[in-house]
Amino acid sequence: MAIEVGGQAPDFELRDQHGTPVKLSEHRGKKIVLIFYPFAFSGVCGSELDAVRDEFVADLPEDVKVLTISVDSIFAHRAWADQKGYTFSLLSDFWPHGQVARAYGVFDDEKGCAGRGTFVIDGEGVVRWRVMNPISRARDVAEYHKVLAELP
């Protein structure tokens, strides 16, 4: 079941590309842009996260945090982050396989990966915006700026 706008974002704890635990609820008070993507080292995912790195993260106010999630291992995330210069969190939903993606309603059982879902969560943990794109189609990071500008 997909998480709806106005609903509470399911809390989770996953490890980032450095093996550090990251818990969603520890970021209360900040706006979170939560980006699910299918796989590291894939073409569309790479172009999307490059756009996040180049066109989004650099301009963010301090009260906004970007968290990205895929079913890849922390080791794949570390190699990818090092290769591409990603400084934002790449979280591993590796085991139990896709548990967080399932909680958000974006896991694709047929492909065994997260779909291309994005959630903007306010400082109280409430989902204020969500979008789901087909796996083959990249998201537009300009939308993130627009949505964040409309939040109090």
Side-chain angles (χ1 to χ4, degrees):
M1 172 192 298
I3 300 303
E4 296 299 326
V5 171
Q8 195 69 28
D11 197 15
F12 60 81
E13 183 175 316
L14 297 173
R15 294 194 179 274
D16 70 8
Q17 67 266 35
H18 304 288
T20 305
V22 174
K23 189 170 185 174
L24 179 65
S25 59
E26 290 177 353
H27 296 290
R28 288 285 157 86
K30 291 189 181 244
K31 298 169 191 143
I32 304 295
V33 179
L34 186 61
I35 302 169
F36 288 91
Y37 62 95
F39 295 110
F41 294 103
S42 61
V44 176
C45 296
S47 66
E48 275 192 323
L49 293 191
D50 286 355
V52 168
R53 178 195 62 210
D54 299 341
E55 302 167 27
F56 187 60
V57 172
D59 298 332
L60 288 179
E62 287 189 28
D63 70 336
V64 177
K65 182 145 182 86
V66 172
L67 300 175
T68 69
I69 300 177
S70 81
V71 297
D72 296 293
S73 72
I74 63 171
F75 308 107
H77 282 158
R78 177 64 184 262
W80 202 35
D82 288 350
Q83 179 188 54
K84 302 287 256 170
Y86 299 147
T87 57
F88 46 86
S89 295
L90 290 110
L91 303 177
S92 176
D93 195 12
F94 183 74
W95 199 257
H97 188 73
Q99 180 177 10
V100 174
R102 288 177 202 281
Y104 279 79
V106 299
F107 190 79
D108 185 323
D109 285 307
E110 188 175 302
K111 292 182 174 64
C113 64
R116 215 169 284 289
T118 307
F119 299 82
V120 172
I121 302 165
D122 71 14
E124 301 299 316
V126 176
V127 175
R128 295 298 175 190
W129 182 78
R130 70 187 261 300
V131 67
M132 188 71 183
N133 287 44
I135 284 182
S136 61
R137 195 178 90 216
R139 292 164 275 210
D140 180 6
V141 298
E143 284 186 86
Y144 305 161
H145 285 294
K146 237 173 30 178
V147 170
L148 288 169
E150 293 172 1
L151 289 181

